[in-house]
Amino acid sequence: MSSSVPSRMNSVSHALWPNFFITGTVKGGTTSLYRHLRGHPEVFLPAFKEPHYFARIQPKPEQRHLIEHISEEHAYLHLYENAGDFPAIGDASTSNLWYPEAPARIHDVAPDARIIILLRDPVSRAHSHYLMDFREGLVDLPFSVELLQGDFAQSEKGWGVSRLYVDLGLYHDQVQRYLQIFGEDQVLVLQFDDLVNAPEQTLKRVAAHLHIDPAPFQEMDVDQVHNGFKAPRGNWSRRCASSPLARWIGYHLMPRKLQWWLYQNLILKAASKPQIDPAARQYLEQIYAPDIEKLETLLGQKMPALRSSW
C-alpha cells in the first residue's frame, strides 16, 4: 500500500482539500471540539464527521456496515464543494492519528495543514472506548485483562478489524509522526482534560492555531459535553445499534442530526459510568507509563492529565 496520495492536484485542478485536521484520539473529546468548531462562522466541517479517507481503513466484510467511510477521491472532495468561502476547512477523522500512512497522505495534498491532536488519559480512554463498543453491541465480554490481552495480541489490526483498546493509547509514535512530517508550528497537541475543565482557554488556543477569530466561541455553550457516557437501554438497543439494517437506514435515509438524536435519546439512557476492573487498570498502567514518559520527552513538557485516573 502506498503511503502517498497519487497526484490528486494534477487530476483535479480545482480540488478543495481541508486545511486543518482534528486527528484524534478516539474518545478524546474530538466530537465536542468538532461541534464547537462547526458553530464558528469561519469554519467549515462537513456533517460527515469521520470520512476516514486518509487512513484508508479496510473493515472486515462482517463489520463494514458498522463503519461508514469514504474511499473514493471524488466522494471525499464532494464533502467540501461548498467550503470555498471559509478560511478554515476541516476533517475530524480520528483514524488519521493511529494509521501510520495517514500523515504523509495528508501532507501530499495539504502540506500547510494545521493539525490538532487531542489526547486523553489512555486508561480512561480505553475504558470509554470499550463502553462505547458494548452499548453498540460490538462486544459482550467484560472489560478485563483477558479481553485487553487478546485484542492487543491480534496480528491484524485496524478500524473494523480489531478493537484497538490498548493500541490507540500508545501516543508517542502517533504524535511523533505528525511532528516529523508537519513540524511543531503546524501541530497543536491538546489534552481532553483541558477541553473539559477549561474550554474557553482551550478554544482560544485552537482559534490561534487555525488563525480564526476566537470571539464566536464566547457566544457558545462550550461547557456542554458532546458524546458523553450513556448506557444502553437494554439488549434490544444493543442489537438495534449493531444491526446492518438499522445502520443502513441511519447512514442512507436519515439526516445526520436526526440519526444522532435518535441514538442518544432512544437507544441510550443516562447512567453512572461503571468502574474499571482493578486488574485491567494495572495491566494498562504498566503498558502506558513508559510511553507517556517518552511522549513527555518528545513534547518537552509534563502531562499529568494523562495519568489523571491513576
Side-chain angles (χ1 to χ4, degrees):
M1 182 183 295
S2 171
S3 63
S4 64
V5 181
S7 29
R8 293 186 171 79
M9 299 307 285
N10 293 331
S11 61
V12 188
S13 59
H14 62 282
L16 184 62
W17 297 93
N19 56 27
F20 80 89
F21 293 81
I22 304 170
T23 64
T25 185
V26 174
K27 304 307 294 179
T30 61
T31 298
S32 290
L33 181 56
Y34 163 82
R35 291 185 181 275
H36 294 329
L37 283 169
R38 280 204 87 199
H40 193 291
E42 294 180 274
V43 176
F44 181 92
L45 278 159
F48 192 161
K49 176 181 179 277
E50 300 195 49
H52 300 298
Y53 176 73
F54 292 96
R56 297 291 190 271
I57 67 171
Q58 296 181 332
K60 290 183 176 180
E62 64 271 21
Q63 295 198 46
R64 284 177 187 160
H65 70 282
L66 298 171
I67 307 174
E68 190 181 17
H69 61 284
I70 290 177
S71 302
E72 300 298 326
E73 178 184 291
H74 69 88
Y76 183 74
L77 293 176
H78 179 68
L79 297 176
Y80 298 97
E81 282 186 340
N82 299 318
D85 294 332
F86 293 83
I89 304 167
D91 177 312
S93 301
T94 54
S95 55
N96 287 336
L97 184 59
W98 184 77
Y99 278 84
E101 303 88 353
R105 290 175 178 151
I106 293 170
H107 190 270
D108 281 346
V109 299
D112 297 323
R114 314 296 285 181
I115 307 299
I116 301 173
I117 298 174
L118 270 163
L119 303 179
R120 180 180 183 178
D121 173 338
V123 176
S124 297
R125 192 223 67 80
H127 189 227
S128 291
H129 187 173
Y130 161 82
L131 293 173
M132 175 181 69
D133 284 355
F134 178 81
R135 69 177 178 248
E136 293 187 0
L138 306 183
V139 61
D140 293 313
L141 297 172
F143 190 75
S144 63
V145 173
E146 292 73 22
L147 173 69
L148 296 169
Q149 287 178 330
D151 185 58
F152 196 31
Q154 283 194 222
S155 57
E156 290 186 85
K157 298 185 179 185
W159 260 241
V161 178
S162 62
R163 303 261 62 91
L164 299 173
Y165 296 135
V166 180
D167 302 75
L168 294 185
L170 292 166
Y171 300 137
H172 173 268
D173 290 355
Q174 300 176 53
V175 174
Q176 185 180 51
R177 286 192 289 266
Y178 277 95
L179 290 174
Q180 288 176 337
I181 291 175
F182 285 92
E184 293 183 9
D185 290 343
Q186 289 177 231
V187 179
L188 176 64
V189 179
L190 301 173
Q191 297 181 71
F192 173 83
D193 288 36
D194 295 335
L195 190 60
V196 172
N197 298 324
E200 295 87 356
Q201 181 179 352
T202 302
L203 289 170
K204 283 183 181 179
R205 294 180 63 192
V206 170
H209 187 63
L210 299 182
H211 305 301
I212 58 176
D213 184 0
F217 290 130
Q218 299 173 8
E219 301 174 6
M220 300 180 192
D221 180 11
V222 296
D223 293 316
Q224 182 181 359
V225 176
H226 298 277
N227 206 19
F229 175 75
K230 287 187 176 182
R233 291 189 178 274
N235 285 331
W236 67 268
S237 65
R238 298 178 65 236
R239 289 193 297 270
C240 180
S242 61
S243 160
L245 177 60
R247 292 272 178 159
W248 188 90
I249 291 173
Y251 290 151
H252 298 284
L253 300 182
M254 289 184 182
R256 292 182 186 274
K257 286 186 178 180
L258 175 59
Q259 176 187 344
W260 180 256
W261 188 92
L262 290 172
Y263 176 68
Q264 290 289 318
N265 293 280
L266 297 185
I267 299 297
L268 305 180
K269 64 179 181 181
S272 299
K273 181 179 286 190
Q275 296 297 308
I276 301 177
D277 173 72
R281 171 182 291 283
Q282 183 179 20
Y283 169 75
L284 290 172
E285 288 179 2
Q286 290 174 345
I287 291 175
Y288 291 137
D291 188 76
I292 292 176
E293 291 178 2
K294 287 174 60 181
L295 177 67
E296 289 175 329
T297 300
L298 175 68
L299 297 177
Q301 61 175 301
K302 292 295 183 181
M303 306 185 80
L306 296 186
R307 304 177 185 85
S308 59
S309 73
W310 299 23

